[in-house]
Amino acid sequence: MKIKSIISSLFILLLVNSASFAQAIDGSQLWFTNQQHSAKVRTAIPTIVCIQEESATFQIIKEELAESIPALGIGEVSFTQKTAKNIVLVGTLKSKAIASQLNEDELTKLGNDGFIIRRSKGEGTILIAANTEFGTLYGVYEFLRLIKTSSSDLAEIDRIEIPSYHRRVLNHWDNLDGTVERGYAGHSIWKWDELPSTISPRYEAYARANASIGINGAVLNNVNANPDILTKDYLEKVKVIAGIFRPYGIKVYLSVNFSSPKELGGLENSDPLNDQVKAWWNDKADEIYSMIPDFGGFLVKANSEGLPGPQDYGRTHADGANMLADALAPHGGIVMWRAFVYNPDGDDRAKQAYKEFVPLDGQFRKNVIIQLKNGPIDFQPREPFSPMFGAMKYTTLMPEFQITQEYLGFSDHLVFLSTLFEECLNTDTYAEGPNTTIARITDGEVFNDSITAIAGVANIGEDTNWCGHHFAQSNWYAFGRLAWNNKLSSAEIANEWLKQTFTQDADFVAQMQTVMLQSREAVVDYMTPIGLHHLMGWSHHHGPEPWCEIPGARPDWLPTYYHKADSAGIGFDRSTTGSEAVLQYAEPLRSIYDNISTCPEMYLLWFHHLSWDYILHNGNTLWDELCYKYSSGVDRVKVFQQTWDRMEGKIDVQRFKDVQARLAIQATEAMWWRDACLLYFQTFSGKPIPMELERPVHVLEKLKQIKFDMTHHN
Ligand code: GCW
């Protein structure tokens, strides 16, 4: 008997393994690819599931359990409404079985989305309970994640999770014509021309993937918004998507063009203080909510990069945001108003958003959230944090991260962005004394905001594997996990993603976790080390062009504005002897950044213009250190390639080959970056590349002639 069961479990294991090897795995299943887990866990999980509630969401819960539990080799699931010993008991207080186990207080504390997973010592039954059906769904996804990734036998579980942010939102920069701004995974997944009648299966797969990591909102269209999105025709299409998302707890939001009343409504202007304009927005909000009662709200890019906004009428960002907020408030909607503003003839670009927004602190309605990029410039491989975090004490701020790799090698480079997000969230702003981290400023801990939110610019397209690079899926995953729990570490996130996406093989997980955790630092080193930034090519933003000159172009769109290399040295002086951007930071950061000897070296050339001979803490001259950094970035990518090659046979052939091919591109492009930057900066420094380093393999004049062809990336 015993032997028989061992043999049958071995057989199941073989089946699971051979399935993953024989079947071509194309990445379309995201982190649901790997249905394996340690044998230890298998014995401890009950297969009888008691659910006493019914709804579309509970139906999804049942389907998830019915699919995963057998696939994990635990056994066929049976559902019951009766309680018994040794079951998985799932639900809210509406379920009598749950109500008999938990009191109301315990559950109301969890808010809308939190959950409890509990199995007391010596008990067979596992309880998954929440205040709402969505909380229950999140609990079930966490339960499945635990089975797939935990090293514990789950004999005892006691987890209470409440998400860090209320609104955990993906921003799609998807245009209505199907293209995706800064998208590197093919065209948009939203098929506007087929909707509302034809429904792509991707919509539900997308909702499921998001719900599984706690994302509960999606802005469907580009912040460079086409007014047409608010026409009746488009709203009919949006309504269909919203209907698919609803049982997964995902709200739909739209980016709106501030000129919509004029462009769409035929009004004379779109002045936020004009009563007709207000009435137009009120009517539009009524119309939207009559079709989509749980609509999330608007995202707005205004008076930014040429887009219309309230300043066109001499009004402020607060006037504009509040008008929209008033239209949405009766329906419970919010306005996410972006602070990404800078003017070509303004002050240092890094200072401008702060100068425009901080004086407006206290003037925004409660349902307005200012959406702020992590850094003061623009999603560079590394930036110091935006000094607006902490500076607006009466205004809710939400971080905006870029998941799509506009400046980090598109979908060709393996870069795990979790460490970038984590670095930003954990940064102490000192705005209210020590331990005023960006995480605590934005999640309501410091300022007690009534609505909290976080956004990530999606890297999703119609490519089979959704994100172009198989490892780019980990950035979508990491964003969701950090939005859920901004205290998670990137190491934990990488570990659980690898196990669910590829294999449980301990060697694979350990080695690739190391690669992932080093990958962002590698890209910083081979693109923009020591605080350099914005060295990329014009408009497409791919590849190095530190020399780029475009006659008549906005200076703040050109690399020379940022690196300021000359024979004396390199870097942007933002100290008190320069643009004084340091003054926007709270003490002691202001002084730390201002002083060359205390400024962290990773931000040195962000805040200071230094001579090529400047001696760094490790004794190297600035020039030599630049050479070492660029070289070490390249070297690391070569090590990533070797590590990956050693993984052959541990995972399916298709994904192995795909990643291998992209790593080769990354290595080639890392050398391109290294050579372009060093050879160009060398024309100013006049210094040799240290002898022990690999020589450039490119010729500067040839690199300058490269014309990047965007078509291959769409
Ligand atoms: O990073 C820049 C991008 C633009 C983008 C803009 C923004 C959507 O190059 O493509 O526009 O930021 O964030 O609004």
mmCIF file of all heavy atoms in Angstrom, residues 62-101:
data_model
loop_
_atom_site.group_PDB
_atom_site.id
_atom_site.type_symbol
_atom_site.label_atom_id
_atom_site.label_comp_id
_atom_site.label_asym_id
_atom_site.label_seq_id
_atom_site.Cartn_x
_atom_site.Cartn_y
_atom_site.Cartn_z
ATOM 1 N N LYS A 62 -13.095 28.892 -6.915
ATOM 2 C CA LYS A 62 -13.253 27.438 -7.085
ATOM 3 C C LYS A 62 -12.417 26.945 -8.261
ATOM 4 O O LYS A 62 -11.752 25.910 -8.175
ATOM 5 C CB LYS A 62 -14.723 27.090 -7.328
ATOM 6 C CG LYS A 62 -15.563 27.177 -6.072
ATOM 7 C CD LYS A 62 -16.965 26.669 -6.377
ATOM 8 C CE LYS A 62 -17.838 26.764 -5.141
ATOM 9 N NZ LYS A 62 -19.246 26.542 -5.433
ATOM 10 N N GLU A 63 -12.486 27.689 -9.358
ATOM 11 C CA GLU A 63 -11.737 27.246 -10.543
ATOM 12 C C GLU A 63 -10.232 27.227 -10.277
ATOM 13 O O GLU A 63 -9.537 26.311 -10.711
ATOM 14 C CB GLU A 63 -12.045 28.156 -11.742
ATOM 15 C CG GLU A 63 -13.402 27.840 -12.352
ATOM 16 C CD GLU A 63 -13.922 28.944 -13.269
ATOM 17 O OE1 GLU A 63 -13.134 29.815 -13.698
ATOM 18 O OE2 GLU A 63 -15.148 28.944 -13.538
ATOM 19 N N GLU A 64 -9.754 28.245 -9.564
ATOM 20 C CA GLU A 64 -8.309 28.283 -9.271
ATOM 21 C C GLU A 64 -7.906 27.074 -8.432
ATOM 22 O O GLU A 64 -6.900 26.429 -8.708
ATOM 23 C CB GLU A 64 -7.925 29.573 -8.529
ATOM 24 C CG GLU A 64 -8.007 30.836 -9.373
ATOM 25 C CD GLU A 64 -6.954 30.899 -10.479
ATOM 26 O OE1 GLU A 64 -6.185 29.936 -10.667
ATOM 27 O OE2 GLU A 64 -6.901 31.923 -11.181
ATOM 28 N N LEU A 65 -8.687 26.784 -7.407
ATOM 29 C CA LEU A 65 -8.340 25.654 -6.540
ATOM 30 C C LEU A 65 -8.472 24.341 -7.306
ATOM 31 O O LEU A 65 -7.620 23.462 -7.204
ATOM 32 C CB LEU A 65 -9.231 25.653 -5.294
ATOM 33 C CG LEU A 65 -8.964 26.814 -4.319
ATOM 34 C CD1 LEU A 65 -10.083 26.924 -3.283
ATOM 35 C CD2 LEU A 65 -7.619 26.647 -3.617
ATOM 36 N N ALA A 66 -9.545 24.257 -8.089
ATOM 37 C CA ALA A 66 -9.779 23.003 -8.826
ATOM 38 C C ALA A 66 -8.695 22.772 -9.861
ATOM 39 O O ALA A 66 -8.388 21.638 -10.209
ATOM 40 C CB ALA A 66 -11.148 23.041 -9.491
ATOM 41 N N GLU A 67 -8.108 23.848 -10.371
ATOM 42 C CA GLU A 67 -7.056 23.664 -11.358
ATOM 43 C C GLU A 67 -5.704 23.392 -10.698
ATOM 44 O O GLU A 67 -4.978 22.476 -11.093
ATOM 45 C CB GLU A 67 -6.946 24.919 -12.241
ATOM 46 C CG GLU A 67 -5.926 24.734 -13.353
ATOM 47 C CD GLU A 67 -5.658 25.999 -14.154
ATOM 48 O OE1 GLU A 67 -6.628 26.723 -14.472
ATOM 49 O OE2 GLU A 67 -4.479 26.258 -14.447
ATOM 50 N N SER A 68 -5.389 24.176 -9.682
ATOM 51 C CA SER A 68 -4.025 24.092 -9.141
ATOM 52 C C SER A 68 -3.790 22.896 -8.234
ATOM 53 O O SER A 68 -2.729 22.269 -8.309
ATOM 54 C CB SER A 68 -3.693 25.363 -8.363
ATOM 55 O OG SER A 68 -3.482 26.400 -9.255
ATOM 56 N N ILE A 69 -4.729 22.596 -7.372
ATOM 57 C CA ILE A 69 -4.467 21.546 -6.362
ATOM 58 C C ILE A 69 -4.143 20.196 -7.033
ATOM 59 O O ILE A 69 -3.137 19.576 -6.687
ATOM 60 C CB ILE A 69 -5.651 21.437 -5.366
ATOM 61 C CG1 ILE A 69 -5.878 22.781 -4.658
ATOM 62 C CG2 ILE A 69 -5.464 20.303 -4.375
ATOM 63 C CD1 ILE A 69 -4.926 23.115 -3.543
ATOM 64 N N PRO A 70 -4.937 19.774 -8.030
ATOM 65 C CA PRO A 70 -4.550 18.526 -8.701
ATOM 66 C C PRO A 70 -3.245 18.682 -9.489
ATOM 67 O O PRO A 70 -2.394 17.807 -9.462
ATOM 68 C CB PRO A 70 -5.712 18.237 -9.662
ATOM 69 C CG PRO A 70 -6.811 19.152 -9.261
ATOM 70 C CD PRO A 70 -6.224 20.289 -8.515
ATOM 71 N N ALA A 71 -3.090 19.832 -10.164
ATOM 72 C CA ALA A 71 -1.872 20.014 -10.966
ATOM 73 C C ALA A 71 -0.632 19.976 -10.086
ATOM 74 O O ALA A 71 0.442 19.589 -10.521
ATOM 75 C CB ALA A 71 -1.943 21.332 -11.726
ATOM 76 N N LEU A 72 -0.796 20.363 -8.847
ATOM 77 C CA LEU A 72 0.328 20.336 -7.920
ATOM 78 C C LEU A 72 0.577 18.937 -7.370
ATOM 79 O O LEU A 72 1.470 18.737 -6.552
ATOM 80 C CB LEU A 72 0.065 21.307 -6.761
ATOM 81 C CG LEU A 72 0.237 22.789 -7.105
ATOM 82 C CD1 LEU A 72 -0.458 23.674 -6.093
ATOM 83 C CD2 LEU A 72 1.704 23.153 -7.186
ATOM 84 N N GLY A 73 -0.262 18.025 -7.801
ATOM 85 C CA GLY A 73 -0.054 16.643 -7.371
ATOM 86 C C GLY A 73 -0.641 16.353 -6.001
ATOM 87 O O GLY A 73 -0.344 15.328 -5.396
ATOM 88 N N ILE A 74 -1.499 17.246 -5.499
ATOM 89 C CA ILE A 74 -2.053 17.046 -4.156
ATOM 90 C C ILE A 74 -3.258 16.102 -4.215
ATOM 91 O O ILE A 74 -3.476 15.305 -3.321
ATOM 92 C CB ILE A 74 -2.438 18.410 -3.533
ATOM 93 C CG1 ILE A 74 -1.176 19.265 -3.392
ATOM 94 C CG2 ILE A 74 -3.140 18.233 -2.197
ATOM 95 C CD1 ILE A 74 -1.423 20.718 -3.086
ATOM 96 N N GLY A 75 -4.026 16.221 -5.282
ATOM 97 C CA GLY A 75 -5.195 15.346 -5.437
ATOM 98 C C GLY A 75 -6.367 16.112 -6.003
ATOM 99 O O GLY A 75 -6.336 17.350 -6.065
ATOM 100 N N GLU A 76 -7.393 15.383 -6.436
ATOM 101 C CA GLU A 76 -8.589 16.032 -6.980
ATOM 102 C C GLU A 76 -9.312 16.783 -5.863
ATOM 103 O O GLU A 76 -9.396 16.314 -4.739
ATOM 104 C CB GLU A 76 -9.536 14.983 -7.579
ATOM 105 C CG GLU A 76 -9.085 14.433 -8.921
ATOM 106 C CD GLU A 76 -8.803 15.504 -9.965
ATOM 107 O OE1 GLU A 76 -9.622 16.445 -10.095
ATOM 108 O OE2 GLU A 76 -7.755 15.430 -10.638
ATOM 109 N N VAL A 77 -9.860 17.925 -6.196
ATOM 110 C CA VAL A 77 -10.548 18.742 -5.194
ATOM 111 C C VAL A 77 -12.028 18.418 -5.198
ATOM 112 O O VAL A 77 -12.629 18.259 -6.261
ATOM 113 C CB VAL A 77 -10.363 20.238 -5.529
ATOM 114 C CG1 VAL A 77 -11.207 21.104 -4.614
ATOM 115 C CG2 VAL A 77 -8.905 20.619 -5.430
ATOM 116 N N SER A 78 -12.623 18.331 -4.014
ATOM 117 C CA SER A 78 -14.090 18.287 -4.000
ATOM 118 C C SER A 78 -14.609 19.450 -3.166
ATOM 119 O O SER A 78 -14.030 19.800 -2.129
ATOM 120 C CB SER A 78 -14.586 16.948 -3.478
ATOM 121 O OG SER A 78 -14.048 16.733 -2.205
ATOM 122 N N PHE A 79 -15.677 20.054 -3.666
ATOM 123 C CA PHE A 79 -16.247 21.216 -2.985
ATOM 124 C C PHE A 79 -17.465 20.787 -2.184
ATOM 125 O O PHE A 79 -18.242 19.935 -2.620
ATOM 126 C CB PHE A 79 -16.642 22.282 -4.004
ATOM 127 C CG PHE A 79 -15.442 22.898 -4.675
ATOM 128 C CD1 PHE A 79 -15.046 22.485 -5.940
ATOM 129 C CD2 PHE A 79 -14.691 23.859 -4.027
ATOM 130 C CE1 PHE A 79 -13.921 23.024 -6.548
ATOM 131 C CE2 PHE A 79 -13.565 24.413 -4.618
ATOM 132 C CZ PHE A 79 -13.179 23.992 -5.889
ATOM 133 N N THR A 80 -17.630 21.425 -1.038
ATOM 134 C CA THR A 80 -18.778 21.101 -0.207
ATOM 135 C C THR A 80 -19.255 22.376 0.484
ATOM 136 O O THR A 80 -18.531 23.356 0.555
ATOM 137 C CB THR A 80 -18.396 20.050 0.854
ATOM 138 O OG1 THR A 80 -19.460 19.927 1.776
ATOM 139 C CG2 THR A 80 -17.159 20.465 1.634
ATOM 140 N N GLN A 81 -20.492 22.338 0.958
ATOM 141 C CA GLN A 81 -20.989 23.476 1.735
ATOM 142 C C GLN A 81 -20.960 23.128 3.219
ATOM 143 O O GLN A 81 -21.283 23.944 4.065
ATOM 144 C CB GLN A 81 -22.427 23.788 1.319
ATOM 145 C CG GLN A 81 -22.545 24.134 -0.138
ATOM 146 C CD GLN A 81 -23.396 25.372 -0.356
ATOM 147 O OE1 GLN A 81 -24.112 25.803 0.536
ATOM 148 N NE2 GLN A 81 -23.309 25.943 -1.532
ATOM 149 N N LYS A 82 -20.635 21.884 3.493
ATOM 150 C CA LYS A 82 -20.655 21.428 4.895
ATOM 151 C C LYS A 82 -19.262 21.504 5.490
ATOM 152 O O LYS A 82 -18.276 21.194 4.836
ATOM 153 C CB LYS A 82 -21.109 19.970 4.941
ATOM 154 C CG LYS A 82 -22.541 19.780 4.576
ATOM 155 C CD LYS A 82 -23.027 18.456 5.159
ATOM 156 C CE LYS A 82 -24.330 18.062 4.519
ATOM 157 N NZ LYS A 82 -24.189 16.940 3.593
ATOM 158 N N THR A 83 -19.240 21.881 6.758
ATOM 159 C CA THR A 83 -17.927 21.882 7.406
ATOM 160 C C THR A 83 -17.603 20.479 7.896
ATOM 161 O O THR A 83 -18.492 19.668 8.110
ATOM 162 C CB THR A 83 -17.885 22.836 8.621
ATOM 163 O OG1 THR A 83 -18.989 22.529 9.449
ATOM 164 C CG2 THR A 83 -17.902 24.268 8.198
ATOM 165 N N ALA A 84 -16.350 20.233 8.057
ATOM 166 C CA ALA A 84 -15.887 18.941 8.564
ATOM 167 C C ALA A 84 -14.464 19.159 9.046
ATOM 168 O O ALA A 84 -13.952 20.284 8.994
ATOM 169 C CB ALA A 84 -15.922 17.908 7.437
ATOM 170 N N LYS A 85 -13.833 18.096 9.483
ATOM 171 C CA LYS A 85 -12.419 18.210 9.866
ATOM 172 C C LYS A 85 -11.574 18.109 8.604
ATOM 173 O O LYS A 85 -12.015 17.544 7.603
ATOM 174 C CB LYS A 85 -12.062 17.079 10.820
ATOM 175 C CG LYS A 85 -12.689 17.293 12.171
ATOM 176 C CD LYS A 85 -12.028 16.455 13.224
ATOM 177 C CE LYS A 85 -12.458 17.017 14.566
ATOM 178 N NZ LYS A 85 -12.594 16.063 15.600
ATOM 179 N N ASN A 86 -10.370 18.643 8.691
ATOM 180 C CA ASN A 86 -9.426 18.482 7.577
ATOM 181 C C ASN A 86 -9.910 19.043 6.246
ATOM 182 O O ASN A 86 -9.910 18.335 5.238
ATOM 183 C CB ASN A 86 -9.131 16.991 7.365
ATOM 184 C CG ASN A 86 -7.881 16.610 8.099
ATOM 185 O OD1 ASN A 86 -6.954 17.413 8.169
ATOM 186 N ND2 ASN A 86 -7.878 15.427 8.657
ATOM 187 N N ILE A 87 -10.345 20.252 6.260
ATOM 188 C CA ILE A 87 -10.809 20.856 5.018
ATOM 189 C C ILE A 87 -10.092 22.191 4.803
ATOM 190 O O ILE A 87 -9.404 22.678 5.699
ATOM 191 C CB ILE A 87 -12.340 21.123 5.037
ATOM 192 C CG1 ILE A 87 -12.700 21.983 6.270
ATOM 193 C CG2 ILE A 87 -13.124 19.831 5.010
ATOM 194 C CD1 ILE A 87 -14.112 22.502 6.236
ATOM 195 N N VAL A 88 -10.293 22.743 3.615
ATOM 196 C CA VAL A 88 -9.901 24.133 3.393
ATOM 197 C C VAL A 88 -11.207 24.917 3.454
ATOM 198 O O VAL A 88 -12.133 24.652 2.680
ATOM 199 C CB VAL A 88 -9.217 24.340 2.022
ATOM 200 C CG1 VAL A 88 -8.785 25.787 1.861
ATOM 201 C CG2 VAL A 88 -8.018 23.411 1.867
ATOM 202 N N LEU A 89 -11.293 25.827 4.393
ATOM 203 C CA LEU A 89 -12.539 26.572 4.596
ATOM 204 C C LEU A 89 -12.322 27.999 4.096
ATOM 205 O O LEU A 89 -11.440 28.709 4.587
ATOM 206 C CB LEU A 89 -12.873 26.553 6.094
ATOM 207 C CG LEU A 89 -14.052 27.362 6.582
ATOM 208 C CD1 LEU A 89 -15.328 26.969 5.853
ATOM 209 C CD2 LEU A 89 -14.231 27.148 8.092
ATOM 210 N N VAL A 90 -13.133 28.394 3.098
ATOM 211 C CA VAL A 90 -12.862 29.660 2.403
ATOM 212 C C VAL A 90 -14.089 30.563 2.438
ATOM 213 O O VAL A 90 -15.195 30.117 2.096
ATOM 214 C CB VAL A 90 -12.521 29.382 0.912
ATOM 215 C CG1 VAL A 90 -12.171 30.677 0.193
ATOM 216 C CG2 VAL A 90 -11.385 28.384 0.781
ATOM 217 N N GLY A 91 -13.917 31.840 2.797
ATOM 218 C CA GLY A 91 -15.055 32.742 2.667
ATOM 219 C C GLY A 91 -15.015 33.968 3.555
ATOM 220 O O GLY A 91 -13.991 34.281 4.179
ATOM 221 N N THR A 92 -16.162 34.644 3.607
ATOM 222 C CA THR A 92 -16.322 35.865 4.403
ATOM 223 C C THR A 92 -17.317 35.572 5.532
ATOM 224 O O THR A 92 -17.826 34.455 5.641
ATOM 225 C CB THR A 92 -16.874 37.020 3.550
ATOM 226 O OG1 THR A 92 -18.258 36.734 3.265
ATOM 227 C CG2 THR A 92 -16.117 37.181 2.249
ATOM 228 N N LEU A 93 -17.643 36.616 6.276
ATOM 229 C CA LEU A 93 -18.579 36.413 7.394
ATOM 230 C C LEU A 93 -19.975 36.006 6.932
ATOM 231 O O LEU A 93 -20.784 35.534 7.728
ATOM 232 C CB LEU A 93 -18.682 37.696 8.216
ATOM 233 C CG LEU A 93 -17.525 37.963 9.186
ATOM 234 C CD1 LEU A 93 -17.735 39.284 9.889
ATOM 235 C CD2 LEU A 93 -17.385 36.831 10.210
ATOM 236 N N LYS A 94 -20.238 36.202 5.654
ATOM 237 C CA LYS A 94 -21.544 35.774 5.142
ATOM 238 C C LYS A 94 -21.655 34.253 5.202
ATOM 239 O O LYS A 94 -22.752 33.695 5.122
ATOM 240 C CB LYS A 94 -21.723 36.247 3.705
ATOM 241 C CG LYS A 94 -21.934 37.739 3.614
ATOM 242 C CD LYS A 94 -22.356 38.135 2.213
ATOM 243 C CE LYS A 94 -22.294 39.636 2.066
ATOM 244 N NZ LYS A 94 -21.585 40.051 0.859
ATOM 245 N N SER A 95 -20.551 33.610 5.310
ATOM 246 C CA SER A 95 -20.558 32.150 5.411
ATOM 247 C C SER A 95 -20.656 31.770 6.893
ATOM 248 O O SER A 95 -19.854 32.233 7.713
ATOM 249 C CB SER A 95 -19.263 31.623 4.787
ATOM 250 O OG SER A 95 -18.827 30.473 5.434
ATOM 251 N N LYS A 96 -21.633 30.946 7.218
ATOM 252 C CA LYS A 96 -21.830 30.549 8.625
ATOM 253 C C LYS A 96 -20.599 29.836 9.166
ATOM 254 O O LYS A 96 -20.206 30.022 10.313
ATOM 255 C CB LYS A 96 -23.034 29.603 8.723
ATOM 256 C CG LYS A 96 -24.345 30.343 8.688
ATOM 257 C CD LYS A 96 -25.440 29.511 9.352
ATOM 258 C CE LYS A 96 -26.744 30.287 9.312
ATOM 259 N NZ LYS A 96 -27.756 29.594 8.497
ATOM 260 N N ALA A 97 -20.009 29.030 8.318
ATOM 261 C CA ALA A 97 -18.836 28.264 8.757
ATOM 262 C C ALA A 97 -17.706 29.209 9.154
ATOM 263 O O ALA A 97 -16.996 28.974 10.124
ATOM 264 C CB ALA A 97 -18.385 27.337 7.640
ATOM 265 N N ILE A 98 -17.556 30.297 8.404
ATOM 266 C CA ILE A 98 -16.504 31.272 8.727
ATOM 267 C C ILE A 98 -16.883 32.016 10.001
ATOM 268 O O ILE A 98 -16.072 32.198 10.908
ATOM 269 C CB ILE A 98 -16.296 32.261 7.554
ATOM 270 C CG1 ILE A 98 -15.757 31.535 6.319
ATOM 271 C CG2 ILE A 98 -15.385 33.420 7.953
ATOM 272 C CD1 ILE A 98 -14.307 31.137 6.365
ATOM 273 N N ALA A 99 -18.154 32.452 10.046
ATOM 274 C CA ALA A 99 -18.601 33.234 11.199
ATOM 275 C C ALA A 99 -18.432 32.442 12.499
ATOM 276 O O ALA A 99 -18.196 33.029 13.561
ATOM 277 C CB ALA A 99 -20.056 33.651 11.004
ATOM 278 N N SER A 100 -18.525 31.144 12.407
ATOM 279 C CA SER A 100 -18.373 30.361 13.641
ATOM 280 C C SER A 100 -16.902 30.259 14.068
ATOM 281 O O SER A 100 -16.596 29.886 15.184
ATOM 282 C CB SER A 100 -18.967 28.961 13.448
ATOM 283 O OG SER A 100 -18.132 28.233 12.579
ATOM 284 N N GLN A 101 -16.021 30.595 13.178
ATOM 285 C CA GLN A 101 -14.587 30.473 13.480
ATOM 286 C C GLN A 101 -13.923 31.800 13.844
ATOM 287 O O GLN A 101 -12.927 31.814 14.540
ATOM 288 C CB GLN A 101 -13.832 29.930 12.253
ATOM 289 C CG GLN A 101 -14.309 28.615 11.746
ATOM 290 C CD GLN A 101 -13.499 27.479 12.345
ATOM 291 O OE1 GLN A 101 -12.392 27.680 12.806
ATOM 292 N NE2 GLN A 101 -14.083 26.285 12.355
#
